[in-house]
Amino acid sequence: MEPVAYNDLREFIEEAKKVSDYREIEGADWDREIGALVEATGELVAQPPMLLFDKIKGYPAGFRILSLAYASYKRVAVALGLPTDKSKLEVLRLATAKIKSARPVPTKEVQTAPVMENVMTGDDIDLLKFPVPRYHEKDGGRYLGTGDNLINADPDSGFVNMGTYRMQVHDRNTLGLWMSPGQHGRLICMKYWEKGKSCPVVGVFGGHPVAFMAAHSKFPWGLSELEMTGGLLGRPFEIIRGPVTGLPIPASAEIVIEGEVPPPTVESRPEGPFGEWPGYYSGGSIGTKEPQPVIKIKAIYHRNNPIIEDEAPLWPGATKLDLNLGSGVLWDQLENAGISDVVGAYCHTSYMCVIAIKQRYAGHAKQAGMAALSCSASARNGRYVVVVDDDIDPTNMKEVLWAMMTRVDPKTNIEIIDQCWSTPLDPRMPREKRDSGDHTNSRAIFYAVRPFEWKDKFPVVSRSSRELREQTVRKYQEKVGFPKL
Ligand SMILES: Cc1cc2nc3c(=O)[nH]c(=O)nc-3n(C[C@H](O)[C@H](O)[C@H](O)COP(=O)(O)O)c2cc1C
Ligand SMILES: [Mn+2]
């Protein structure tokens, strides 16, 4: 596998500009306007441009926000060091292979770091020195942490975890933290809290794109996402030792905080509401009815002209992450479970996973659907599994809906399975059920395949073949203004 050539978020932006659309926007308001504009761009523009906000209302030039970084699969390919002239499904296949072959590589300590260009300690600490947005209209505050990395270390084994958890600005030196039950960052904090101690942490805002990919992937306990970042990069990830906590700090991050999370019995605060990825306000204090942990900030470091990475959730009809890496993990797991002839797997958020197979025998579609319901990559927090034939590209929602509309007999081809693994974030979970701790839901499997017994007699598709379409699109690319394939 090719190593990833660029070194940090800034260099990624320069590389991404070469392969996809990019806009700089000046004068936008951090208070809801940026959030609304990003969401509308993700919804209304196909392969949305990457947006870089500068001269944000009330803030000096150079204090920037990067949005929609991964809303085009070509930029996800750039981020992972993969070729950009391939189809989305092919990039997904290559990303799957890269994740599969990555092994942990220890971090490398360096002596100087761009992130130390500016240092705030003591009374100088002020989180609102940065143009932190209020993203959604009814958010309970401004969120510095959306595409962030929280780093802390297990006091027993020394294992260093890195996860993405949302962080709200409570005041100039306090951040709110929402870590769902069971998240590694939370489990580590709990070990300190049980002894009445505060947990030292590092927070990164505007980290290396590969570190962000690793931080929100579900690696097992004990496997450091910092070392997996090195594995995916193809070289050690460079860090310095945090002067306050001794924890690793990624050397070329844009903004970093060091601090500690006191036991919630000592300090905790209401967190949220915050618009979440299913398209509703959830999680935090409205989901749990409990106040949530906080980070007391001891130091802030940032590069000159820092960039906040915005990964705030959008209404799911807007594209934010155009290529979902969890889908690659699902594809791999289906093959490992012995499902033959899987030609693609893609999750359109965790609520709809689509599996494409080349049907070989009666019952093949059912075998694939049942497996997809239970693979760890798709078992949690789902709604629909759709099994399609190999002429359907599972990443293409128009093709998937067409298969569901024309190949499903509702009476016989939709199967309901109850009591599956869900989460309290599910907006359709009745309140009493959620409060009782029964965090399960029902699922539907759609067998949107031609019936196996008469598949060769199924009406012939009238749409032009992929070959003819691609050839024609290439020929008339300029004339009609087709997007580049
Ligand atoms: C943009 C984004 C935001 C996320 N926000 C949260 C969050 O606020 N709380 C949370 O518990 N998980 C959140 N997640 C999911 C975690 O990052 C993910 O489960 C990760 O595997 C956690 O790391 P861990 O397994 O080391 O705990 C988010 C993921 C993404 C991509
Ligand atoms: Mn982890």
Side-chain angles (χ1 to χ4, degrees):
M1 284 275 160
E2 286 285 297
V4 174
Y6 68 91
N7 286 303
D8 54 23
L9 188 63
R10 296 169 181 215
E11 288 185 20
F12 162 76
I13 293 173
E14 294 311 313
E15 291 304 308
K17 278 185 193 174
K18 294 178 192 161
V19 301
S20 74
D21 206 357
Y22 164 83
R23 303 289 151 84
E24 276 186 33
I25 296 174
E26 294 185 352
D29 195 335
W30 56 264
D31 195 4
R32 294 165 294 185
E33 187 180 43
I34 288 177
L37 176 57
V38 169
E39 190 167 71
T41 308
E43 179 196 345
L44 300 173
V45 185
Q47 290 291 298
M50 183 164 68
L51 303 180
L52 190 70
F53 294 95
D54 199 353
K55 299 186 187 160
I56 295 156
K57 195 170 167 192
Y59 283 88
F63 281 67
R64 297 165 293 167
I65 299 173
L66 177 70
S67 301
L68 297 173
Y70 312 115
S72 153
Y73 78 89
K74 289 187 187 266
R75 295 196 289 271
V76 178
V78 171
L80 291 169
L82 298 171
T84 54
D85 58 348
K86 301 270 188 275
S87 72
K88 188 164 156 181
L89 196 58
E90 188 54 28
V91 173
L92 178 61
R93 193 193 306 276
L94 293 169
T96 307
K98 185 153 210 161
I99 294 164
K100 219 169 166 168
S101 65
R103 298 287 171 272
V105 173
T107 52
K108 179 177 161 195
E109 196 169 329
V110 293
Q111 297 315 315
T112 55
V115 70
M116 301 307 270
E117 281 166 351
N118 302 274
V119 176
M120 290 183 239
T121 53
D123 289 343
D124 289 339
I125 291 174
D126 186 5
L127 291 163
L128 290 177
K129 183 176 176 195
F130 308 102
V132 180
R134 181 201 312 274
Y135 288 101
H136 317 91
E137 278 161 283
K138 297 189 178 70
D139 281 354
R142 298 168 69 174
Y143 276 74
L144 177 60
T146 56
D148 61 44
N149 313 148
L150 183 88
I151 298 170
N152 57 0
D154 177 33
D156 299 326
S157 65
F159 146 62
V160 180
N161 192 70
M162 177 167 71
T164 299
Y165 318 112
R166 75 193 200 196
M167 294 186 210
Q168 172 181 1
V169 176
H170 285 313
D171 57 45
R172 51 198 290 279
N173 59 3
T174 314
L175 280 168
L177 197 51
W178 159 242
M179 300 178 289
S180 306
Q183 298 290 42
H184 295 159
R186 190 179 190 108
L187 296 177
I188 290 174
C189 281
M190 285 167 72
K191 291 196 183 187
Y192 282 88
W193 299 340
E194 277 160 16
K195 297 196 176 94
K197 291 186 182 162
S198 299
C199 177
V201 295
V202 159
V204 179
F205 312 92
H208 193 292
V210 171
F212 169 63
M213 301 281 172
H216 71 255
S217 301
K218 208 73 205 115
F219 290 112
W221 171 265
L223 184 57
S224 175
E225 289 84 358
L226 285 156
E227 299 192 358
M228 285 311 288
T229 300
L232 290 162
L233 283 173
R235 62 175 177 279
F237 190 38
E238 295 191 350
I239 55 115
I240 54 164
R241 287 280 144 213
V244 178
T245 60
L247 289 166
I249 290 181
S252 61
E254 294 288 333
I255 303 169
V256 166
I257 60 97
E258 282 193 284
E260 56 184 35
V261 185
T265 46
V266 174
E267 186 168 353
S268 55
R269 297 204 200 173
E271 194 275 349
F274 187 58
E276 273 295 351
W277 61 267
Y280 301 87
Y281 293 91
S282 54
S285 297
I286 57 167
T288 61
K289 297 185 182 155
E290 301 283 342
Q292 295 298 319
V294 298
I295 308 176
K296 304 305 293 182
I297 313 295
K298 307 283 183 207
I300 301 181
Y301 316 111
H302 71 89
R303 295 179 70 158
N304 295 333
N305 301 321
I307 306 169
I308 297 175
E309 183 176 347
D310 158 22
E311 289 296 333
L314 306 179
W315 171 68
T319 306
K320 194 185 72 137
L321 183 59
D322 190 38
L323 197 145
N324 169 331
L325 294 181
S327 303
V329 181
L330 172 60
W331 190 342
D332 180 39
Q333 290 181 350
L334 287 166
E335 286 179 352
N336 282 335
I339 314 299
S340 62
D341 295 282
V342 177
V343 295
Y346 196 77
C347 296
H348 298 265
T349 79
S350 72
Y351 283 154
M352 185 188 275
C353 289
V354 185
I355 320 302
I357 56 166
K358 183 160 183 55
Q359 289 191 79
R360 296 289 186 194
Y361 44 88
H364 190 177
K366 179 142 186 168
Q367 184 195 13
M370 288 292 184
L373 207 62
S374 293
C375 284
S376 74
S378 52
R380 179 174 171 266
N381 211 15
R383 189 84 84 209
Y384 307 118
V385 167
V386 184
V387 186
V388 294
D389 289 308
D390 60 335
D391 61 329
I392 303 292
D393 175 349
T395 68
N396 183 329
M397 191 57 116
K398 286 183 185 168
E399 292 187 9
V400 173
L401 282 176
W402 173 63
M404 291 170 78
M405 289 185 288
T406 59
R407 297 182 196 176
V408 169
D409 166 38
K411 193 171 158 197
T412 51
N413 296 140
I414 303 176
E415 184 160 31
I416 309 291
I417 314 272
D418 204 1
Q419 293 200 297
C420 299
W421 183 15
S422 185
T423 76
L425 222 66
D426 182 350
R428 183 59 183 81
M429 187 176 287
R431 186 165 288 269
E432 318 77 67
K433 188 172 157 98
R434 190 172 72 199
D435 293 348
S436 77
D438 177 9
H439 298 148
T440 62
N441 68 348
S442 65
R443 305 288 163 82
I445 306 179
F446 287 73
Y447 298 101
V449 288
R450 298 174 180 90
F452 182 77
E453 337 53 271
W454 52 282
K455 72 179 170 57
D456 298 332
K457 300 194 180 66
F458 206 84
V460 174
V461 172
S462 59
R463 186 190 191 195
S464 48
S465 65
R466 258 182 230 287
E467 297 72 40
L468 176 60
R469 194 165 61 248
E470 280 180 16
Q471 190 189 322
T472 314
V473 166
R474 276 186 222 288
K475 181 169 173 191
Y476 291 95
Q477 191 102 53
E478 298 298 320
K479 190 85 187 159
V480 180
F482 286 120
K484 285 257 179 327
L485 288 174

